Amino acid sequence: MALFRLNPLAPQEPALSIANTDDVLQLGDRLKGVRLIALRFPKFTDGRAYSQARLLRERLGYGGELRATGAVFLDQLPFLLRCGFDSFESDQKGFGPALAKARTLFSVVYQPTGDGRATAGQLRLGRRNSVAA
Amino acid sequence: MPDTHFYRYDDYDRALVAERVEQFRDQVQRRLAGELTEEQFKPLRLTNGLYLQLHAYMLRIAIPYGTLSTRQLRHLAAIARKYDRGYGHFTTRQNLQLNWIKLEQAPDAIAMLAEVDMHAIQTSGNVIRNVTADHFAGAAADEIEDPRVWCEIIRQWSTLHPEFSFLPRKFKIAITGSPNDRAAVRVHDIGLRLWANEAGEVGFEVIVGGGLGRTPMIGKTLREFLPKDELLAYLEATLRVYNRYGRRDNIYKARIKILVHEIGVEKMRAEVEAEYAATKDGALKLAPETIEAIARQFAPPPLRPKRTKVPEVEALKLENRAFALWLKSNVAPHRVPGHAIVTASLKPAGAPPGDASAAQMEGVADIADAFSQGEVRVSHEQNLVFPHVAVESLPEVYRALERLGFAEANIGKITDIIACPGLDYCALANARSIPVAQRISNHFAELSRQHDIGDLKIKISGCINACGHHHVGHIGILGVDKNGVELYQLSLGGDVDFGRTALGTILGPAVEADKVVEAVDALVATYLEARQAGERFVDTYRRIGAAPFKERVYGAV
Amino acid sequence: MAKNLSGELHVASANRLGDGLVVFLDDAGQWTTRLDRAALARDERAAEILLQRAQAEAFGVVDPFLVAVTESEDGTLEPLSLREKIRASGLTFAAIAGEAVRYA
Ligand code: SF4
């Protein structure tokens, strides 16, 4: 498996590996001080880890590395990035170049997530307000 | 060209759809080059509406809230000509299916679709599907609020949702803004019903866990009253609970209805409310300006009240019986006096239900430009609707529809059959649907007889997936396969009218294909003999029960 | 997948990747849209080999599989199951033509 890390210098210890059936909201103290969490995609069509990722980032404020492991393919990248993943294990040919492009594949997003991108709705509101002002 | 009276894309929407086309083009290229296996590619093509059926690829195009401008409809006709065999099939989910698309050309076809602000995003796959609405929305006399505003808000929120693109199973949402539900909201994964509470505030009743398919269930109320600006936060909470806990071990148990059934609606409610409490008042809360800006685009066309009694209409009614019947069955009240909602029947005698040729689509567009503010609707009963027609124009509209073959006065009648594509197209089918529909349609073609029989909904599915909604047909017909022979199981008593949503009950052993017409004939005869004044078929069935019908059918076939 | 595999005669079929059309494997290892050109396996062993050959030639097609057929006196092949009959010979009703306006 090749490993792709958006923050190659971030510490990878202590690490935690979580099954996609685990309830991340029950992790409590086990999250303390953790620098790397690996979430798992047993099949790429099993999307439970996306919810886990958003809960970790947005509900629990987890700031360390979040790694996607298992069946990870380049076509998932726009979704993975938006849910807060910043490292990826994949063997797929072309994964690296796809990662470099994934953030700009879609210039517009509709959903607010923890990645902080302004949504189309927010941009429209901004436009209207600046016209009104 | 008339202005549109529904949502217009802005540059954000357009950019996203264009980028999705390019992403799909790349995915197709990688598949054709052998870089993706079929197993990897299939979910990718499905989330862009591309199926592989028996004889070819099928492209399912989303028609959000069933509303089309004539420019869009003409463009669909052109796409059908250029990339398909010149016809299309309107589905029960307000989509258009093209049945003979080539994979190599699919990216160009959807690029052409994007030229008129349309797409095939999430028309298949385990994602939130095209949100459906009452096809009379924005025109119906009984409407509280136009549900399409909310369909559009949900369309944007659900499009390429990063968290919900790999759900346990598909997810269908429907919205109605009228007490007379025309969107079947109780048989969807989530149904939303707009209603006004005692304080006069309009909000949503949120219904969850309905659905047809293998395990038909009627949805349960999750929330009596949800303030409108909380809609997305509440949906996100519900979808998150489903994504985390919905079953993934068995495809037949993966819909949200099974989750609700297994844990119970109280537990489901507790889970959703807990999740909702943690996210509400967050970024998903809708700003009043956001709702306003979208609602403004759905502002109804400025129709002036007109004469409701028009001499030409009254005269033609006397002279032409088919026209008089058509007024009764195909024309519905409009909220502005002197106007009407006209349904064009895509079920002329013996035709494949819901199919239209490119030339017919263009003919419909011409009529809509001349008489219906340039707008056409697709109904979930596979017909096309002109939402804004002046009463005085009805004779002209009728004649124009006659020329297209779409003037059959049969809306809601026995030949207004819903049928899925069945074994003629569908890789999952057990039996054919369309030829059965054609036979019934030919048998009951005579209009005055149809009107005498009255409202009777026949719905046909070619397999247990129930795309033809057979569970909620007054007469449901389900194709089954027994040792390689097509048989058809009949059920009675289904319904989708609001407050009366009911699932049909199987009548008895399945019958052979060439006996279906006789069986339906026997059911109708039983009803005609037993009915009391004002009773529809399904009312009589409810009153007298299955026994007399059963006796007659199995005595006859 | 044909449900009746008890028949002895089989051809290998698939849908062509590029356009989705129904194809059959011929004796030369090419995929053809013509059932009458399909390579015929006359017993179980031959059917296994045919399927293996089809899978080896699967680059331009989707998911090859065996179709049970019957052979008439004059050598005409016909699939056993209704599903495969429809796959081989198309819709069982007349689809409307693109320029059709029904009553015009
Ligand atoms: S009900 Fe069955 S046969 Fe009909 S379209 Fe759906 S999956 Fe195909």
Side-chain angles (χ1 to χ4, degrees):
Chain A
M1 277 289 167
L3 180 61
F4 302 86
R5 303 174 71 211
L6 292 183
N7 302 306
L9 299 179
Q12 298 180 69
E13 297 287 336
L16 196 61
S17 183
I18 300 176
N20 78 348
T21 46
D22 290 345
D23 183 356
V24 293
L25 297 178
Q26 305 296 321
L27 285 174
D29 284 350
R30 288 180 60 205
L31 266 183
K32 272 220 185 89
V34 168
R35 300 309 308 152
L36 167 66
I37 296 178
L39 297 179
R40 212 171 155 71
F41 292 85
K43 292 189 294 190
F44 86 97
T45 50
D46 183 338
R48 280 178 275 205
Y50 294 102
S51 287
Q52 289 179 314
R54 285 193 70 194
L55 286 171
L56 282 167
R57 288 284 193 223
E58 297 168 39
R59 185 77 44 85
L60 303 172
Y62 172 68
E65 184 165 328
L66 195 53
R67 183 171 299 169
T69 68
V72 179
F73 296 104
L74 62 90
D75 296 286
Q76 291 149 274
L77 275 167
F79 302 133
L80 291 167
L81 288 169
R82 296 222 63 214
C83 288
F85 287 95
D86 57 2
S87 97
F88 313 88
E89 271 181 22
S90 178
D91 263 348
Q92 194 182 17
K93 184 178 148 230
F95 194 90
L99 180 57
K101 278 193 295 190
R103 236 183 254 282
T104 50
L105 204 53
F106 291 100
S107 63
V108 178
V109 296
Y110 286 126
Q111 308 78 10
T113 71
D115 72 350
R117 287 183 69 177
T119 65
Q122 288 159 350
L123 294 171
R124 285 172 185 142
L125 261 182
R127 259 193 203 173
R128 264 192 292 280
N129 292 341
S130 65
V131 171
Chain B
M1 186 172 313
D3 267 351
T4 54
H5 301 282
F6 60 96
Y7 185 77
R8 282 174 298 280
Y9 275 21
D10 64 8
D11 39 3
Y12 297 121
D13 302 306
R14 251 173 231 131
L16 184 130
V17 168
E19 286 158 356
R20 179 73 182 106
V21 171
E22 289 319 306
Q23 184 193 35
F24 187 63
R25 197 184 289 285
D26 171 64
Q27 290 169 341
V28 169
Q29 252 143 31
R30 283 189 283 137
R31 175 68 185 111
L32 290 171
E35 287 170 32
L36 290 173
T37 63
E38 185 62 18
E39 192 196 354
Q40 291 167 338
F41 180 61
K42 187 174 169 186
L44 301 178
R45 68 167 155 75
L46 285 179
T47 50
N48 213 24
L50 196 66
Y51 282 75
L52 181 53
Q53 304 224 98
L54 285 188
H55 325 272
Y57 290 95
M58 178 268 278
L59 180 66
R60 184 181 289 155
I61 296 164
I63 301 175
Y65 25 92
T67 305
L68 282 170
S69 69
T70 50
R71 179 167 163 254
Q72 289 174 324
L73 184 54
R74 286 200 181 86
H75 217 67
L76 291 174
I79 292 169
R81 264 200 202 99
K82 183 160 182 195
Y83 295 106
D84 205 275
R85 297 193 179 167
Y87 70 98
H89 173 75
F90 290 95
T91 76
T92 54
R93 296 211 74 255
Q94 301 180 314
N95 297 308
L96 177 70
Q97 293 182 176
L98 299 177
N99 283 306
W100 307 94
I101 293 289
K102 297 182 168 69
L103 178 62
E104 300 147 336
Q105 295 183 337
D108 292 336
I110 61 166
M112 189 164 166
L113 210 50
E115 291 168 6
V116 289
D117 300 342
M118 295 186 77
H119 61 72
I121 298 170
Q122 290 170 213
T123 53
S124 178
N126 295 334
V127 290
I128 302 165
R129 303 285 188 87
N130 184 24
V131 181
T132 53
D134 183 347
H135 46 270
F136 289 176
D142 59 0
E143 184 169 279
I144 295 160
E145 242 185 54
D146 193 332
R148 297 174 301 164
V149 175
W150 301 97
C151 292
E152 177 57 30
I153 287 170
I154 298 174
R155 186 191 71 81
Q156 297 186 17
W157 162 77
S158 64
T159 297
L160 305 186
H161 197 296
E163 184 179 348
F164 306 136
S165 287
F166 298 94
L167 294 169
R169 200 76 178 88
K170 59 188 166 185
F171 203 92
K172 299 177 180 177
I173 302 175
I175 312 180
T176 183
S178 295
N180 294 307
D181 177 23
R182 283 172 293 261
V185 297
R186 286 204 178 260
V187 288
H188 281 78
D189 294 288
I190 286 184
L192 298 168
R193 183 176 71 90
L194 281 157
W195 66 289
N197 67 10
E198 275 155 27
E201 300 152 343
V202 174
F204 294 102
E205 179 188 359
V206 182
I207 298 154
V208 71
L212 299 174
R214 187 169 298 254
T215 321
M217 287 192 193
I218 292 174
K220 300 180 184 67
T221 301
L222 198 58
R223 203 20 135 92
E224 281 288 344
F225 187 87
L226 180 73
K228 290 191 291 189
D229 58 355
E230 290 294 326
L231 178 65
L232 293 185
Y234 200 81
L235 288 179
E236 186 140 305
T238 311
L239 265 295
R240 181 170 287 165
V241 170
Y242 173 53
N243 192 43
R244 296 179 72 197
Y245 301 114
R247 285 181 63 173
R248 293 176 189 260
D249 57 327
N250 179 340
I251 184 179
Y252 302 120
K253 297 194 189 297
R255 295 287 286 269
I256 196 173
K257 62 189 171 189
I258 304 291
L259 176 65
V260 174
H261 182 72
E262 285 181 353
I263 69 174
V265 71
E266 289 75 24
K267 172 94 171 106
M268 183 74 193
R269 186 177 299 125
E271 290 283 343
V272 171
E273 292 288 340
E275 182 56 42
Y276 170 62
T279 46
K280 80 182 235 213
D281 299 323
L284 280 171
K285 194 179 176 98
L286 289 158
E289 301 94 304
T290 299
I291 302 174
E292 216 354 79
I294 292 182
R296 251 199 315 274
Q297 303 207 42
F298 287 94
L303 300 177
R304 271 177 298 111
K306 290 193 166 189
R307 308 174 285 171
T308 49
K309 279 264 181 247
V310 178
E312 295 85 336
V313 175
E314 300 305 314
L316 190 60
K317 223 156 105 178
L318 292 177
E319 151 194 330
N320 182 337
R321 173 131 173 92
F323 177 71
L325 293 175
W326 180 80
L327 286 180
K328 269 201 217 153
S329 54
N330 296 35
V331 178
H334 194 281
R335 63 157 80 117
V336 181
H339 297 267
I341 306 171
V342 172
T343 302
S345 171
L346 268 53
K347 326 279 179 71
D355 280 10
S357 69
Q360 283 170 320
M361 291 183 214
E362 286 159 346
V364 167
D366 291 344
I367 297 173
D369 271 338
F371 302 108
S372 180
Q373 308 288 325
E375 194 175 312
V376 176
R377 305 286 177 82
V378 183
S379 79
H380 75 89
E381 298 185 314
Q382 304 179 294
N383 291 308
L384 294 176
V385 174
F386 300 107
H388 309 291
V389 179
V391 169
E392 63 200 19
S393 306
L394 289 173
E396 268 181 279
V397 169
Y398 176 73
R399 285 191 201 99
L401 282 173
E402 257 190 324
R403 286 192 289 277
L404 291 179
F406 286 166
E408 201 87 349
N410 64 348
I411 298 306
K413 306 298 180 226
I414 191 167
T415 63
D416 186 9
I417 299 168
I418 288 184
C420 79
L423 191 55
D424 281 292
Y425 292 105
C426 175
L428 304 171
N430 284 324
R432 286 173 290 170
S433 307
I434 295 168
V436 173
Q438 290 177 308
R439 254 179 262 156
I440 298 172
S441 167
N442 280 324
H443 181 79
F444 289 97
E446 218 249 300
L447 278 182
S448 42
R449 173 138 184 256
Q450 288 195 50
H451 278 252
D452 177 38
I453 296 168
D455 288 353
L456 205 177
K457 296 189 174 168
I458 297 188
K459 306 191 187 220
I460 310 176
S461 305
C463 81
I464 194 70
N465 287 327
C467 303
H469 299 176
H470 65 278
H471 298 293
V472 290
H474 297 164
I475 298 177
I477 301 179
L478 167 66
V480 294
D481 167 283
K482 205 162 184 205
N483 306 325
V485 179
E486 297 168 294
L487 295 181
Y488 295 88
Q489 196 174 68
L490 303 169
S491 57
L492 297 185
D495 207 346
V496 274
D497 288 345
F498 205 64
R500 283 190 305 202
T501 307
L503 303 172
T505 310
I506 294 170
L507 187 70
V511 302
E512 282 163 34
D514 56 355
K515 297 285 200 282
V516 174
V517 169
E518 274 167 68
V520 172
D521 215 32
L523 292 171
V524 169
T526 313
Y527 155 67
L528 289 177
E529 279 166 28
R531 76 173 159 190
Q532 294 175 352
E535 266 185 356
R536 300 173 302 156
F537 175 89
V538 66
D539 302 326
T540 304
Y541 166 78
R542 281 184 196 139
R543 181 171 55 79
I544 67 176
F549 292 95
K550 208 168 165 169
E551 240 165 69
R552 185 84 161 240
V553 167
Y554 294 102
V557 299
Chain C
M1 195 75 47
K3 283 190 178 130
N4 185 351
L5 283 173
S6 61
E8 296 278 278
L9 305 180
H10 290 92
V11 298
S13 182
N15 288 77
R16 198 153 61 194
L17 178 63
D19 59 13
L21 294 187
V22 175
V23 287
F24 303 93
L25 193 70
D26 70 12
D27 283 315
Q30 303 288 316
W31 292 97
T32 166
T33 53
R34 295 181 52 178
L35 177 58
D36 59 351
R37 301 240 172 110
L40 185 62
R42 294 193 174 276
D43 58 41
E44 215 173 297
R45 179 80 194 111
E48 267 169 41
I49 295 168
L50 181 61
L51 184 60
Q52 280 164 13
R53 272 180 53 213
Q55 280 158 350
E57 298 292 341
F59 181 77
V61 300
V62 180
D63 299 338
F65 63 99
L66 290 177
V67 175
V69 296
T70 57
E71 188 181 24
S72 68
E73 308 258 295
D74 65 357
T76 311
L77 299 182
E78 205 195 9
L80 273 179
S81 76
L82 176 63
R83 181 185 195 274
E84 292 310 320
K85 280 189 181 103
I86 293 174
R87 273 185 85 245
S89 48
L91 302 181
T92 62
F93 59 89
I96 39 174
E99 299 319 307
V101 174
R102 287 187 178 102
Y103 296 166

